[in-house]
Structure formats: structure tokens, C-alpha cells
Amino acid sequence: MHPLLPSLAAACLYAAAASYQGLRLKQRSTINRRILAMLGVLALLFHASSLFMQMSAPSGLYLDFFNAASLIAAAVILLTLLACVRIPVENLLLLLFPLGFLTVLLDQFMPAGTSMPINESPGILAHILLSITAYGMLTIAVFQSLLLLLQDHQLKHKHPSGLIKNFPPLQTMESLLFGFLWAGWGLLSLSLLSGALFINDLFAQHLVHKTLLSFFAWVVFAVLLWGRHQLGWRGHKAIRWTLAGFCLLMLAYFGSKLVREFILHI
């Protein structure tokens, strides 16, 4: 089967899920969680099928710029759908379903980069999996911080929209943000540790800048979590630190892949 069909199916289901959720929030009516979850899971299954067909190669795992973006988006949506079973984070999906829609179509229709297939040891593959999971968890934290920023702004100006009225209390939203940050920081720590253990030559593999930027992002998140624990950081300060760490992390991964695959062609 050609990956075009599951890609289009995933995009349509993501669009349907986002439209359903957005319409219900606009009408200030209750969202049927089963319908939302069903649409999200079906979209994710088609998304995963498309990714499998595009990334599988006889010589290894093909992971170019758009494959990586689509894979991380799928991981983020999967983690959020799993989290929805236990904690009230359904509102994150209103931002994540369009992300899935966009990345699955870009992966299908944009020209491929010059990335070579990955045929590495289990240790390297574990490092890649940890990295993707860490990026996914920290991406959820960033979206959570943006929703928290919107909620705080509207509550201060006393004109909450229908979307905000469906949010949990501000304190709960903030606690969820730091829960995601702790999980993402822990996974990022394991990712950096596995990279140090299993990657032999950073210079030969053009990974120095990626590793340094990822380490700087790790430091930013560590300072933020320390500030929360020791100094009670919250609100706008916590959001600014979250966005700063995330920008460093995305620059480390996507910035390096963009330059290598589309500018330097290596």
C-alpha cells in the first residue's frame, strides 16, 4: 500500500476531531470524550501506518526532517491521549490535532532531505527513542504552558471565553505543567546519558552542536524545576523558562537537521 492513503485518512480524521472539539467548545457544550478519543485513536493509527511505510527501508530506519517532525507529533498525540485517561488534558488536543494534520501532510508531500537510513546498534536506537519521547513530553509541556498563559490572561482581564471555561482551575493547570516538565526533563536526562554511552564519535557524526544545545536546554529545564521547588517560581516566569528551554531543544534537533539536509546536504 502507498503511504498516501493512510496519510490522507489521518489528516481527515485529525481535521474532524479538531473541528468537533472546537465547535463544541465554541458552543460551550460538553464534549463527548468517547467520540473525541475514537477520532484521535483512528487518526493516530493511520498516522502510524503512514510513518511505518515511509520510514521503513531495507538498509535501516529512514528518519529525515519531515519524518522526524511527523513522528514526534504522533508521539505527542499518543502521550496526550494516554494522559487523558487519568488527568484532564483534553484541551491540549485542540492544539495537537492540527499539529498532527500539518505534519502528516508535510511528511507526505514535501521533498525528502538527504538523510541516510539509520542502521545502528540497539543502544543507538534506544537513544533515538528516548530523545523522541523526551521531545514529545516537553512539547506537551509547552502547549500546556501556552494554554496556561491564555487562561491567566483572560482571567486577569475578566473575559473568559468558552474555551477557558472548560479548563481545570489555574492551580491544576500549573501542576500539570510541572508534571510534564519533570517527566520530560527525566527523559531528556536519559537521552543525553544514552548518547554519551553509545555514540562514539560526535565530530564524525556532526552531532556536537546538537548535543551542546540539548545540554543547554537540559540546564534551562533543571534551573526551572529547581526554581519551582526552592523559590516557588510560577506563572509568567515559569512559562518564559519553559519556552526558552523548548526553543533550545527544537533548535538542537530540527535546526541541525534542517541545516544538514537542506543546506549542507550531508
Side-chain angles (χ1 to χ4, degrees):
M1 181 189 298
H2 194 276
L4 176 63
L5 183 59
S7 295
L8 292 177
C12 290
L13 285 164
Y14 281 136
S19 299
Y20 168 74
Q21 189 177 16
L23 183 62
R24 301 295 284 183
L25 288 172
K26 185 177 180 181
Q27 295 173 344
R28 302 190 180 187
S29 53
T30 304
I31 295 172
N32 188 316
R33 297 180 66 184
R34 286 189 176 183
I35 293 177
L36 189 66
M38 181 185 67
L39 289 171
V41 169
L42 285 174
L44 193 59
L45 288 173
F46 281 112
H47 193 164
S49 175
S50 170
L51 275 170
F52 178 78
M53 285 185 275
Q54 293 187 79
M55 292 172 59
S56 299
S59 53
L61 185 69
Y62 191 72
L63 194 64
D64 71 357
F65 180 86
F66 293 108
N67 285 151
S70 184
L71 179 59
I72 289 175
V76 170
I77 293 168
L78 173 62
L79 291 170
T80 306
L81 286 171
L82 291 174
C84 285
V85 177
R86 299 295 299 273
I87 54 180
V89 290
E90 291 86 1
N91 290 305
L92 284 171
L93 295 171
L94 188 61
L95 301 176
L96 296 178
F97 285 148
L99 179 67
F101 172 86
L102 180 64
T103 56
V104 75
L105 290 181
L106 287 175
D107 190 23
Q108 179 62 49
F109 294 110
M110 292 298 288
T114 57
S115 176
M116 298 298 292
I118 300 169
N119 186 11
E120 300 286 355
S121 66
I124 296 295
L125 294 177
H127 166 69
I128 293 171
L129 179 61
L130 282 169
S131 298
I132 289 171
T133 309
Y135 294 156
M137 189 61 71
L138 291 168
T139 301
I140 295 174
V142 166
F143 281 122
Q144 179 73 7
S145 72
L146 294 175
L147 290 179
L148 181 61
L149 182 64
L150 177 63
Q151 184 181 24
D152 181 62
H153 178 270
Q154 293 207 357
L155 289 175
K156 283 182 178 178
H157 291 79
K158 299 181 180 179
H159 53 79
S161 64
L163 173 64
I164 297 302
K165 288 184 177 180
N166 285 275
F167 281 14
L170 197 64
Q171 187 175 358
T172 302
M173 291 283 286
E174 198 169 74
S175 297
L176 289 173
L177 168 62
F178 279 95
F180 291 135
L181 285 171
W182 273 110
W185 183 77
L187 288 165
L188 183 59
S189 302
L190 292 175
S191 170
L192 291 171
L193 179 61
S194 63
L197 291 174
F198 297 115
I199 297 176
N200 297 321
D201 191 344
L202 293 176
F203 291 94
Q205 299 182 47
H206 310 283
L207 295 175
V208 176
H209 51 290
K210 177 182 175 182
T211 303
L212 286 175
L213 287 169
S214 296
F215 176 73
F216 290 148
W218 181 89
V219 170
V220 168
F221 287 121
V223 171
L224 169 58
L225 293 170
W226 175 85
R228 168 70 169 184
H229 185 261
Q230 296 293 328
L231 306 175
W233 286 1
R234 55 185 304 173
H236 286 231
K237 178 174 286 189
I239 292 169
R240 285 195 297 268
W241 279 82
T242 301
L243 294 175
F246 182 75
C247 287
L248 282 171
L249 199 59
M250 291 300 101
L251 186 62
Y253 191 71
F254 288 110
S256 62
K257 287 188 77 69
L258 182 66
V259 170
R260 288 174 57 195
E261 293 180 21
F262 294 98
I263 298 176
L264 299 180
H265 301 289
I266 57 176

